């Protein structure tokens, strides 16, 4: 983390100085904004946190709730989401507060007595190789609180407008209208309409307004899919129990009474029980009834036999009913008009896909939608990217949501199928081994790191993938430990990728590296510093030289063998009002933690460039001498702000 570039300031260096446009502005809802976000759930607040990084972009965020969420809803935080929180500087706090899901236990009917459950397996939840971060559990309200605090500390000093219900949306068709989307909002007090509706005009509107999204309806999209809502009783409880795995995540399947997903919660005492209610077998079915907390507790006790759970305090409980549904597109432009029209309204999170809570993906996928969209909107609004980039949001995220729904259907079916009885001649029911192996084989998926974006203007084909086998084009940049050359600090390379809207060009040196005059590494660095380079051409004059494309180098040398001052100038850029040199752009292998060239299988003979989008997904892997190919690829997305000089 870097600060004091433009002068030393006492106090908390992470509290950004307020942008001049904020001074003296009131907290009233503005009449016009660049982006209006409807909904302060996980999707809306990640998007707001991303846009708040750009003080020149005006953003408003509204919610019909009259204040922030306090209890309940989702709690599973996948490894990939923690990686994303790291980009916002929030990961450490999150992992400190959270419960870590280290192991998962499987409980099924005892083969000798089907009336009792017994532990049939215990597995590690997430392979350490999947991510440098753990899979954690923390309440959605806390996740949102971290983001709200982040917004308040941003240069934009953004805070939501609560108690505003978006009731209507229209998109103007005048070509010269630069705020074409009008949204009507109704103030709410004490749950009732209070005062006159207002209109806010925006360049772009993002409906992060949940499963019953009004934005979705306003742009003529609908959730299509399984209309059956499956009910689960959910309770966050402090309880007395003799169940031995109360502090481990468990899937618990009884013979006749249904199943439980048990999730220990942060703080060491709290636990969440997801209790299946739609059990059409046995006497305990609660289908079609008004469900009470007492009934959920009673069902839990039937499933847990011979163990018991006595609830002493209830933090939150609910009956969570949801079907698996999806919108065909996540913006307002019909497929047949994509060549002629650009999107103005987007949907993110539950507004465009819903699925069960069993795979713990809702909050994660919703935030990932917003992270995908945020940098694209910012790049277009800052004038650094072509507006066609916005089409890639729906293309990329709709496919991810479809995959999630397919996975969720299969996982839900398995969880709700009673385990096979020993010696059952018909073979009906789930084979316990199949259940366990499905869970294990989908570990990378549930950790959120299996997402692979297909070929597009921002994802190349991967012709040079052999140069960096462990950095798969289309997948997220998987971090690895390195040593920072300037100060010998062991760091994670991926953590340089902050949510600042910049692309990252990681240059992995060939064997010669900077020590070889006239070699390919030096030639690339000279090109990147030249007037022909995309770094120069796509970065606005007077902007931070890293603000559009941030070049980083990873050398094969021991960090003690290279003098900082011997590095090419593109790796020692001058910045800020004093023209200070940024010394933190070059890294070397960390032999103790594992040499990154070996860990990520980067070609030592040839080296390579790994180009990463602002949301940390790999766009391209290129040979070190593919200067024109790099410039050409980026030229499809970014706008040349300075003329090409040959
Ligand atoms: P949401 O979190 O739903 O946020 C949408 C926001 O938009 C809300 O704050 C809402 O007030 C606001 N809004 C809606 N309409 C308007 C409007 N017209 N104008 C202004 N504001 C509007 N997931 C789990 O994994 N486990 C659970 O147990 C679980 N329980 C849940 C219980 C409930 C009651 C709900 C609603 C969701 C639950 N979820 C659960 C789902 C999980 O919370 C979501 O997947 C996740 O929050 C999706 O985030 P989001 O930002 O897309 O939408």
């Amino acid at each position: 983390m870097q600060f004091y570039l433009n002068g030393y300031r006492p106090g908390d260096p992470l509290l950004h100085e307020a942008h001049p446009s904020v001074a003296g502005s009131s907290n009233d809802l503005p009449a016009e904004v660049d982006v209006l976000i409807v909904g302060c759930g996980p999707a809306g607040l990640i998007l707001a946190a991303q846009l708040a990084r750009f003080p020149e972009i005006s953003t408003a965020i509204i919610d019909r709730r009259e204040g922030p969420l306090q209890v309940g809803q989702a709690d599973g935080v996948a490894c990939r989401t923690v990686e994303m929180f790291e980009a916002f500087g929030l990961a450490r706090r999150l992992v400190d507060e959270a419960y870590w899901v280290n192991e998962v236990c499987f409980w099924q009917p005892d083969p000798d007595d089907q009336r009792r459950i017994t532990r049939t397996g215990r597995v590690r939840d997430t392979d350490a190789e999947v991510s440098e971060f753990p899979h954690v559990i923390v309440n959605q309200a806390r996740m949102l609180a971290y983001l709200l605090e982040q917004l308040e500390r941003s240069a934009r000093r953004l805070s939501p407008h609560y108690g505003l219900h978006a009731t209507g949306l229209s998109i103007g068709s005048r070509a010269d209208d630069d705020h074409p989307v009008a949204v009507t909002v109704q103030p709410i007090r004490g749950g009732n309409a209070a005062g006159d509706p207002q209109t806010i005009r925006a360049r772009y509107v993002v409906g992060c307004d949940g499963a019953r999204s009004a934005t979705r309806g306003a742009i003529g999209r609908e959730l299509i899919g399984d209309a059956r809502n499956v009910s689960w009783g959910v309770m966050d409880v402090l309880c007395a129990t003799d169940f031995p795995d109360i502090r481990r995540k468990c899937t618990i399947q009884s013979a006749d009474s249904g199943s439980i997903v048990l999730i220990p919660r942060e703080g060491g005492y709290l636990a969440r029980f997801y209790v299946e209610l739609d059990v059409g077998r046995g006497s305990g079915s609660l289908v079609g009834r008004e469900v009470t907390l007492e009934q959920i507790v009673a069902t839990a006790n039937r499933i847990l036999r011979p163990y018991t759970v006595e609830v002493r305090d209830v933090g939150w409980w609910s009956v969570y009913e949801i079907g698996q549904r999806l919108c065909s597109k996540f913006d307002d432009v019909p497929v047949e008009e994509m060549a002629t029209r650009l999107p103005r309204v987007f949907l993110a999170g539950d507004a465009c896909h819903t699925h069960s809570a069993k795979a713990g993906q809702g909050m994660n996928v919703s935030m990932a939608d917003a992270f995908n969209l945020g940098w694209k909107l910012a790049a277009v609004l800052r004038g650094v990217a072509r507006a066609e980039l916005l089409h890639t949001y729906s293309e990329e995220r709709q496919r991810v949501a479809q995959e999630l729904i397919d996975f969720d259907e299969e996982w839900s079916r398995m969880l709700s199928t009673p385990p096979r009885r020993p010696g059952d001649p018909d073979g009906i029911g789930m084979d316990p081994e199949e259940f366990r192996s499905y869970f294990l084989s989908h570990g990378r998926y549930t950790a959120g790191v299996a997402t692979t974006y297909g070929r597009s203007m921002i994802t190349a084909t991967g012709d040079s993938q052999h140069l960096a086998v462990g950095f798969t084009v289309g997948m997220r940049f998987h971090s690895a430990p390195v040593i920072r050359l300037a100060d010998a600090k062991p760091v994670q390379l991926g953590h340089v990728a902050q949510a600042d809207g910049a692309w990252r060009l990681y240059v992995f040196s060939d064997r010669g590296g900077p020590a070889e005059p006239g070699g390919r590494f030096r030639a690339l660095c000279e090109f990147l510093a030249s007037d022909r380079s995309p770094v120069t051409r796509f970065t606005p004059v007077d902007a931070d030289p890293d603000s559009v494309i941030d070049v980083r180098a990873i050398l094969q040398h021991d960090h003690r063998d290279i003098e900082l001052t011997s590095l090419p100038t593109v790796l020692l850029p001058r910045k800020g009002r004093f023209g200070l040199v940024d010394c933190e752009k070059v890294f070397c292998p960390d032999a103790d933690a594992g040499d990154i060239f070996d860990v990520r299988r980067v070609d030592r003979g040839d080296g390579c460039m790994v180009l990463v989008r602002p949301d940390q997904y790999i766009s391209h892997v290129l040979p070190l001498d593919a200067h024109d190919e790099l410039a050409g690829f980026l030229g499809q997305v970014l706008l040349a702000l300075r003329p090409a000089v040959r």
Side-chain angles (χ1 to χ4, degrees), residues 285-456:
S285 173
L286 294 171
V287 181
R289 297 202 223 150
E290 190 81 351
V291 180
T292 63
L293 173 66
E294 289 68 33
Q295 286 168 322
I296 297 173
V297 175
T299 308
N301 273 296
R302 271 198 301 279
I303 297 168
L304 283 171
R305 269 194 300 238
Y307 305 103
T308 58
V309 54
E310 188 193 317
V311 172
R312 299 273 168 88
D313 191 36
V314 182
W316 174 75
W317 77 277
S318 172
V319 174
Y320 184 45
E321 271 192 39
I322 202 102
Q324 282 136 342
R325 286 171 230 164
L326 176 68
C327 283
S328 59
K329 208 154 178 295
F330 292 2
D331 62 35
D332 61 312
V333 180
V335 175
E336 59 281 9
E337 291 180 30
M338 281 174 63
T340 53
R341 228 178 99 185
L342 292 165
R344 286 288 176 181
V345 181
F346 303 86
L347 301 171
D350 278 12
C352 44
H353 47 78
T354 64
H355 22 78
S356 82
K358 288 175 228 172
Q361 295 297 307
M363 178 163 66
N364 297 290
V365 176
S366 300
M367 292 197 194
D369 285 349
F371 198 39
N372 181 296
L373 178 60
W375 71 269
K376 294 173 182 176
L377 275 175
V380 171
L381 284 164
R382 287 160 68 211
V384 299
R386 298 172 195 280
E388 287 74 14
L389 172 64
L390 298 175
H391 282 310
T392 64
Y393 167 68
S394 179
E395 285 165 359
E396 293 186 335
R397 296 308 298 175
Q398 206 271 353
R399 230 188 83 203
V400 169
Q402 179 64 64
E403 285 165 9
L404 172 56
I405 283 173
D406 296 343
F407 168 75
D408 191 43
E409 274 173 2
E410 185 60 8
W411 183 236
S412 301
R413 184 189 64 74
M414 289 182 136
L415 214 54
S416 298
T417 307
R420 182 174 299 166
R421 288 171 192 265
D424 181 348
D426 302 329
I428 300 168
M430 174 64 54
D431 175 359
E433 192 42 49
E434 188 192 339
F435 184 79
R436 267 197 303 277
S437 66
Y438 188 83
F439 176 86
L440 286 172
S441 66
H442 286 75
R444 292 182 68 78
Y445 182 81
T446 47
V449 301
T451 300
T452 311
Y453 294 134
R455 192 184 172 189
S456 71

Side-chain angles (χ1 to χ4, degrees), residues 38-44 62-65 72-75 140 164-167 208-214 234 272 274 316 318 320 348-351 355 357 360-363 366:
V38 184
C40 287
I62 62 167
D63 201 292
R64 67 178 174 203
R65 276 182 204 277
Q73 302 200 196
D75 57 5
Q140 180 171 327
L164 285 181
H165 187 179
T167 54
C208 301
D209 45 353
R212 298 205 170 98
S213 167
V234 195
R272 170 169 289 194
Y274 283 104
W316 174 75
S318 172
Y320 184 45
D350 278 12
H355 22 78
Q361 295 297 307
M363 178 163 66
S366 300

